[in-house]
Amino acid sequence: MTVMATIQVDGRSYEVDGKDNLLQACLTLGFDLPYFCWHPALGSVGACRQCAVKQYRDADDTQGALVMACMVPAADGSRISIEDEQAREFRASVIEWLMVHHPHDCPVCEEGGHCHLQDMTVMTGHSRRRYRFRKRTHRNQYLGPFIAHEMNRCITCYRCVRFYRDYAGGEDLGAFGANDNVYFGRHREGVLENEFSGNLTEVCPTGVFTDRTHSERYTRKWDLQFAPSVCHQCSVGCNISPGERYGDIRRIENRYHGEVNRFFLCDRGRFGYGYVNRDDRPRRPEWHGETEETVTLDVDEALDRGADALREARRVIGIGSPRASLESNDQLRELVGQANFSTGIAEREQVCLTRMRRLNRDAGLPTPTLRDVESHDAILVLGEDLIQSAARLGLSVRQAVLARRERLAEARGIPAWNAEAVMTLAQDARHPLFVAYPTATGLDDVADRCLRQAPDDIARLGFAVAHAIDVKAPAVEGIDESTKATAEHIAETLLAAKRPLVISGGSLESTAIIEASGNIARALATRGRRGGLMLVRREANSTGVELLGSRPLEWALDELTRGAADAVVVLENDLHQRLPSGRVERALSAARTVIVLDHQRTSIWERADLGLPAASFAEGDGTLVSLEGRAQRFFQVFEPRYHRPETRIHQGWRWLQALRASLKRRAVPDVTLDAVTRDCARHHPALAGIVEASPSADQRVSGLKLARQPHRYSGRTAMRAHLDVSEPRPPQDPDTPFTFSMEGYYGFDRPRREVPFAWAPGWNSPQAWNKFTDEVGGHLRGGDPGVRLLEPTEDIGDYVNEIPPPFTSGVGEWQVVVLPRLFGGEETSSRATPIMARAAAVRLHLSEEDARRLEAEEGDTLVVETSLTRLSLPLRVDTTLPSGLVGVPAGLEAALVTGDRAWLSLAPEGEEEPP
């Protein structure tokens, strides 16, 4: 609840939120007041003394006193001066103190050009250094493939450890030393373990922690070209700002979204872009003839050959993809016809997606945004390791659990922004979190209770919780007393909460778990609880492709295998990641024509007769639907032919539109993004809202298109000097409201939803996002991007009665459980070198009891066999995994599926392990 207060700043009255401190209130009002240690998500500790202002007791007080704005509430009647001479001199002296040991390395610092310290130095007017003595120096540490370390630039603001330890839950970064000799790093050199370490590059106001992947080919921020984009590495839908130079993505920064990611990204989303820059990417159409010789084609010839092959086919199957845009999937559907289109998703996963979509509408509880998640006060997670399957959602759940300390502080009159006081008061007080999953998860350290169970037993627990909340929900037969007591305790906790939240999803591909979570949501809704239901999907567009509606991947492969179709078009989908290779290969071998569109040289691309190079997220436009049902547009960052004229990369939907025209012997239409988006919305009523997800291409601000490049962008002629000594006209963009140049609107004073990069006069660092929001930490003044497609109806569905029996393992056999992996478990980011360097070794998880039964020890190679596949992996003895389960890491081409029966044995001596 907002409590408004009236304050005076330099003699003028303003109305502000009385719960804020003076610094946040002044920044929300648009004043340029310098700061370092304060952060909207971290609160205040008063460590840097940079935000000094003069405060007066009343109208008669002419003397005033210096106070730190971040540590003083914006109380009604407060009188302050930012422009007071004494306050200005104090702020300038603070910068000088902080800069005493700071090196003069701005020209070579990777933070240069978007450095908060540079902004604040200019803002305070400090321009001359009087310190002439020896500077203190530190030895830097190796912190892994993501983060570079330069401790000599530190100004001791404590932001890094406050984010890493207090906010993200990391344990291997700390502050060592005292006085003016404090060291921020690990107790010994090594890889930062937390999955959100990359945020240090934006949280740190100087260049202590920088993006190592960017440092390898560093470019100043003002020389990067940006576009508003959406992370493609999972289903959360975080907003990102990718930066390009010379036709390569150089870095990804967080793009503020008031309802989704706000200030932070996970490390896969920030560093998983390397697949865009791979040298082995297909950049021209390829024809693989009968002689196995690859022929490179131009666009017209490729379209002619593709159209001729499809024209000769009796029937063409189209296989879509949950990592491709809605527009591309829809155009493939139009090419082959609705009856011949497959989503490209395996049947078990698609059944889960369909049930999740139904629950989003008839379970009686709304789907919260990530921001909403942080306000829930009791959470039950069924069948998900959120840090591995939807990391940014996991970070929000952590904040929801820790928010108990703010409630306790509020009851005692301590403002939420007073971070140290709040933490001291709360100690280990947390909101309750219950996690049911087969093995240890990334949120166990803040959970009340962690339940290690097989998928069917997790479902049974969920059904028991629903029955304990509402006796009309079906009872679980044969439940043991311990599980019953646990279910009753969870039910009581959820009912006692003001805003309970249930989180589940498809990671374990168990419809029983999903339906159990739906029963709990219905029970809570029946009891009148204002809670939420969040269901996790696997890929960036899993929700959207399911809304298109069609048949699963197995159907498409069966049609090809039995000869009912003799041609197939595969869109951005490595089918070996979804089903066993034998089944995939039989289907492709039965087809006379295989056409593949992709931006990676996958095993399916190598099997194609014709390969068409599709655009990645950086080179194309399109729409994705996140796990909360939010349709969001991503925009082309750069035109690939500008730097590599020989390339023929196009968006998947553009290739398919052209292929359809060639097939009908028509001229290829000059289609635009707006047109294909409208077509997609018209073809699928469930997707009608996507037209409103983003402004159309004709949007203008003061008559100008929006600039992709900062106003200081330089070197366009030099960048192409090896191609042409004259500067060509910038590429034209009829699809979006953006220009491929700096000649466009880039300001902050006109509200807009799609912001390519954060910049405002005097604010070059990521702190510039404060200039684009309605209040600091609030929402974009132009509105947060995207539109929600999945909203609950008033009718609550019936309880589900299909409760699985308890899990029992057969003699000599195990049940497969596929475990999601943040690093290495996703198809495209696993092609990025830093991600693979960060990924843990691929190992088979087995309980201590089962390892003893096999007479196997840690590191021994085990053979896993199912009815469809066989692979060998080294053993990891997992002390948390229940007996009878075998955990297999996600991302292996063997395509093991949760629920498969497996047989294990020690590998014969000398059997090779997979890389």
Side-chain angles (χ1 to χ4, degrees):
M1 178 177 163
T2 302
V3 179
M4 302 308 293
T6 300
I7 66 172
Q8 277 198 7
V9 182
D10 288 313
R12 297 187 62 180
S13 294
Y14 300 91
E15 195 172 45
V16 299
D17 189 340
K19 291 187 177 182
D20 291 344
N21 56 45
L22 286 175
L23 172 60
Q24 186 163 348
C26 288
L27 293 173
T28 294
L29 291 171
F31 292 106
D32 290 338
L33 182 59
Y35 63 90
F36 286 116
C37 64
W38 176 82
H39 187 281
L42 306 178
S44 306
V45 292
C48 70
R49 325 304 288 171
Q50 183 62 79
C51 60
V53 296
K54 181 70 72 69
Q55 184 176 36
Y56 303 93
R57 291 191 303 272
D58 51 42
D60 297 326
D61 182 6
T62 59
Q63 195 72 14
L66 287 177
V67 298
M68 302 307 119
C70 73
M71 296 302 294
V72 179
D76 192 51
S78 297
R79 295 169 176 267
I80 64 171
S81 173
I82 297 174
E83 299 301 325
D84 176 81
E85 189 61 29
Q86 186 183 11
R88 292 170 63 90
E89 289 178 1
F90 184 85
R91 295 196 295 265
S93 68
V94 168
I95 279 282
E96 188 172 20
W97 305 337
L98 295 175
M99 299 286 280
V100 162
H101 294 295
H102 195 83
H104 299 188
D105 66 343
C106 292
V108 298
C109 176
E110 293 91 333
E111 199 75 4
H114 63 155
C115 172
H116 186 56
L117 176 60
Q118 286 179 337
D119 290 347
M120 300 300 98
T121 303
V122 173
M123 190 178 295
T124 57
H126 174 61
S127 59
R128 180 173 298 178
R129 300 186 183 189
R130 294 180 291 171
Y131 184 75
R132 293 294 181 267
F133 303 97
R134 185 180 181 86
K135 290 181 179 287
R136 174 205 64 213
T137 58
H138 293 290
R139 181 175 178 177
N140 302 319
Q141 293 181 326
Y142 172 75
L143 298 178
F146 296 158
I147 303 296
H149 191 224
E150 177 49 80
M151 253 307 294
N152 294 320
R153 299 171 185 154
C154 182
I155 59 171
T156 323
C157 71
Y158 287 88
R159 268 200 198 176
C160 57
V161 292
R162 293 176 57 222
F163 166 77
Y164 194 88
R165 299 178 69 90
D166 302 339
Y167 193 93
E171 297 180 348
D172 60 322
L173 181 74
F176 306 90
N179 199 6
D180 68 340
N181 191 20
V182 181
Y183 189 93
F184 295 90
R186 302 183 84 247
H187 72 288
R188 66 162 58 102
E189 189 170 86
V191 177
L192 287 173
E193 298 170 359
N194 190 266
E195 294 83 359
F196 304 93
S197 64
N199 293 292
L200 293 173
T201 65
E202 294 186 28
V203 167
C204 176
T206 70
V208 177
F209 299 99
T210 54
D211 185 336
R212 182 180 289 276
T213 67
H214 184 208
S215 301
E216 294 172 358
R217 298 182 65 195
Y218 184 74
T219 303
R220 298 293 183 197
K221 178 177 179 176
W222 61 72
D223 281 334
L224 289 172
Q225 179 168 258
F226 299 90
S229 194
V230 178
C231 180
H232 280 52
Q233 315 311 327
C234 81
S235 63
V236 172
C238 293
N239 284 209
I240 57 175
S241 288
E244 170 268 347
R245 185 75 167 178
Y246 291 105
D248 290 333
I249 295 297
R250 296 296 178 88
R251 73 179 301 168
I252 283 178
E253 292 184 333
N254 181 72
R255 180 165 66 99
Y256 189 87
H257 190 296
E259 289 290 1
V260 187
N261 46 293
R262 297 177 73 195
F263 299 100
F264 306 121
L265 298 173
C266 78
D267 285 353
R268 181 162 80 184
R270 188 181 293 274
F271 301 113
Y273 62 84
Y275 64 93
V276 177
N277 302 335
R278 288 180 67 101
D279 292 334
D280 63 351
R281 277 189 60 187
R283 289 189 164 87
R284 293 178 65 88
E286 293 179 0
W287 179 265
H288 303 147
E290 295 180 0
T291 62
E292 297 186 0
E293 179 182 351
T294 299
V295 179
T296 301
L297 307 175
D298 214 323
V299 171
D300 290 342
E301 188 179 3
L303 291 174
D304 288 343
R305 291 201 186 192
D308 289 344
L310 296 181
R311 202 176 290 116
E312 294 172 2
R314 289 181 290 103
R315 184 183 175 205
V316 183
I317 294 291
I319 299 179
S321 170
R323 67 173 166 91
S325 69
L326 285 175
E327 289 83 356
S328 293
N329 278 284
D330 178 62
Q331 286 301 312
L332 175 58
R333 186 174 175 271
E334 290 299 296
L335 173 68
V336 301
Q338 179 180 354
N340 300 318
F341 176 71
S342 163
T343 61
I345 301 172
E347 184 173 13
R348 286 190 60 162
E349 182 181 355
Q350 184 157 323
V351 169
C352 290
L353 290 171
T354 300
R355 298 199 181 189
M356 285 190 274
R357 188 239 312 155
R358 192 189 72 227
L359 289 176
N360 284 136
R361 288 181 167 149
D362 71 6
L365 294 181
T367 300
T369 65
L370 261 64
R371 187 189 189 107
D372 289 336
V373 166
E374 298 181 10
S375 65
H376 287 265
D377 54 354
I379 301 176
L380 170 62
V381 180
L382 288 178
E384 290 290 333
D385 180 357
L386 293 177
I387 299 300
Q388 300 301 321
S389 62
R392 187 58 186 82
L393 171 58
L395 186 63
S396 289
V397 169
R398 180 177 291 275
Q399 305 324 305
V401 174
L402 298 179
R404 172 79 188 284
R405 57 196 184 190
E406 296 177 9
R407 304 284 176 87
L408 294 173
E410 183 180 14
R412 290 161 178 78
I414 301 173
W417 48 259
N418 195 340
E420 286 301 317
V422 170
M423 289 180 60
T424 301
L425 168 67
Q427 298 295 314
D428 293 329
R430 304 185 183 106
H431 286 313
L433 168 66
F434 304 96
V435 180
Y437 192 70
T439 186
T441 79
L443 291 174
D444 289 355
D445 61 313
V446 292
D448 267 26
R449 191 170 300 182
C450 304
L451 305 157
R452 317 292 187 212
Q453 298 176 318
D456 283 348
D457 290 339
I458 293 173
R460 288 172 62 82
L461 171 68
F463 283 115
V465 171
H467 179 71
I469 294 172
D470 179 12
V471 294
K472 294 180 181 178
V476 180
E477 300 294 333
I479 189 170
D480 62 87
E481 288 302 318
S482 174
T483 303
K484 182 179 179 182
T486 299
E488 289 174 350
H489 172 63
I490 295 173
E492 291 171 1
T493 304
L494 294 177
L495 283 171
K498 292 181 179 179
R499 298 194 68 194
L501 174 63
V502 181
I503 300 177
S504 187
S507 290
L508 298 179
E509 295 191 344
S510 167
T511 54
I513 291 177
I514 294 168
E515 296 291 14
S517 68
N519 271 17
I520 298 172
R522 292 186 180 104
L524 288 170
T526 301
R527 294 291 299 272
R529 292 302 183 269
R530 191 169 62 92
L533 175 64
M534 180 74 89
L535 298 170
V536 176
R537 279 77 163 177
R538 176 181 165 192
E539 291 174 86
N541 210 13
S542 294
T543 309
V545 172
E546 195 282 327
L547 285 170
L548 284 172
S550 196
R551 297 175 176 85
L553 176 59
E554 287 89 339
W555 168 85
L557 298 183
D558 290 345
E559 292 295 285
L560 292 167
T561 302
R562 69 186 183 89
D566 56 348
V568 61
V569 181
V570 182
L571 171 67
E572 298 181 38
N573 201 334
D574 187 352
L575 308 182
H576 293 109
Q577 295 280 336
R578 303 184 187 278
L579 291 174
S581 295
R583 187 170 188 179
V584 173
E585 288 302 315
R586 282 194 297 275
L588 296 182
S589 298
R592 288 180 53 193
T593 300
V594 178
I595 298 177
V596 174
L597 296 86
D598 211 330
H599 49 77
Q600 300 300 309
R601 198 173 292 278
T602 66
S603 54
I604 299 298
W605 176 279
E606 301 298 344
R607 290 284 284 103
D609 298 299
L610 175 64
L612 302 175
S616 68
F617 77 93
E619 300 137 342
D621 315 290
T623 308
L624 305 177
V625 183
S626 70
L627 58 83
E628 63 164 286
R630 183 183 298 271
Q632 300 183 101
R633 199 94 71 236
F634 62 93
F635 294 96
Q636 186 176 3
V637 184
F638 65 96
E639 170 52 57
R641 293 187 67 173
Y642 186 73
H643 292 289
R644 300 183 177 95
E646 73 282 2
T647 64
R648 297 296 183 267
I649 294 173
H650 296 289
Q651 293 103 324
W653 50 264
R654 205 178 290 279
W655 274 119
L656 291 164
Q657 179 81 248
L659 191 58
R660 183 154 64 106
S662 299
L663 182 62
K664 296 181 178 180
R665 292 189 171 90
R666 297 176 182 169
V668 176
D670 189 14
V671 68
T672 64
L673 174 66
D674 286 344
V676 295
T677 301
R678 285 194 298 270
D679 286 346
C680 182
R682 187 176 66 254
H683 298 154
H684 312 282
L687 298 172
I690 66 173
V691 175
E692 306 300 324
S694 184
S696 62
D698 59 4
Q699 185 202 32
R700 300 292 184 270
V701 177
S702 299
L704 299 173
K705 294 190 80 171
L706 306 176
R708 281 183 171 92
Q709 299 169 359
H711 68 289
R712 293 184 292 173
Y713 191 90
S714 63
R716 284 200 307 225
T717 303
M719 283 191 292
R720 288 175 47 91
H722 64 296
L723 301 173
D724 195 336
V725 294
S726 62
E727 180 182 345
R729 184 189 186 193
Q732 301 304 293
D733 187 0
D735 294 316
T736 77
F738 299 95
T739 65
F740 287 108
S741 74
M742 66 185 113
E743 289 81 25
Y745 182 78
Y746 51 77
F748 71 95
D749 54 330
R750 304 294 178 89
R752 51 198 169 110
R753 296 168 65 188
E754 307 292 355
V755 184
F757 55 89
W759 177 90
W763 297 85
N764 297 279
S765 77
Q767 310 300 314
W769 284 112
N770 293 338
K771 294 288 188 179
F772 291 84
T773 52
D774 55 2
E775 61 177 337
V776 174
H779 302 271
L780 293 179
R781 284 186 286 123
D784 293 319
V787 60
R788 293 276 290 249
L789 302 180
L790 297 178
E791 297 294 349
T793 63
E794 295 182 1
D795 297 327
I796 300 177
D798 297 328
Y799 288 118
V800 172
N801 294 287
E802 299 172 10
I803 302 175
F807 168 71
T808 56
S809 57
V811 177
E813 67 180 42
W814 283 258
Q815 185 182 90
V816 172
V817 176
V818 177
L819 304 175
R821 288 192 295 160
L822 185 66
F823 304 124
E826 189 272 329
E827 183 181 338
T828 53
S829 64
S830 62
R831 294 172 174 267
T833 301
I835 293 292
M836 293 314 297
R838 178 68 175 81
V842 175
R843 290 176 178 267
L844 204 68
H845 292 239
L846 210 60
S847 70
E848 286 183 306
E849 178 185 340
D850 289 346
R852 281 195 302 270
R853 191 164 21 135
L854 289 170
E855 299 181 350
E857 297 180 355
E858 184 89 16
D860 286 350
T861 300
L862 293 183
V863 175
V864 187
E865 291 186 83
T866 69
S867 59
L868 296 174
T869 191
R870 180 181 190 274
L871 77 158
S872 302
L873 288 173
L875 170 65
R876 178 193 167 191
V877 178
D878 189 336
T879 58
T880 64
L881 192 71
S883 178
L885 300 180
V886 53
V888 180
L892 303 182
E893 280 202 358
L896 290 168
V897 177
T898 295
D900 280 353
R901 295 168 59 198
W903 294 267
L904 305 180
S905 60
L906 280 167
E909 190 171 340
E911 180 162 331
E912 291 290 325
E913 301 172 7

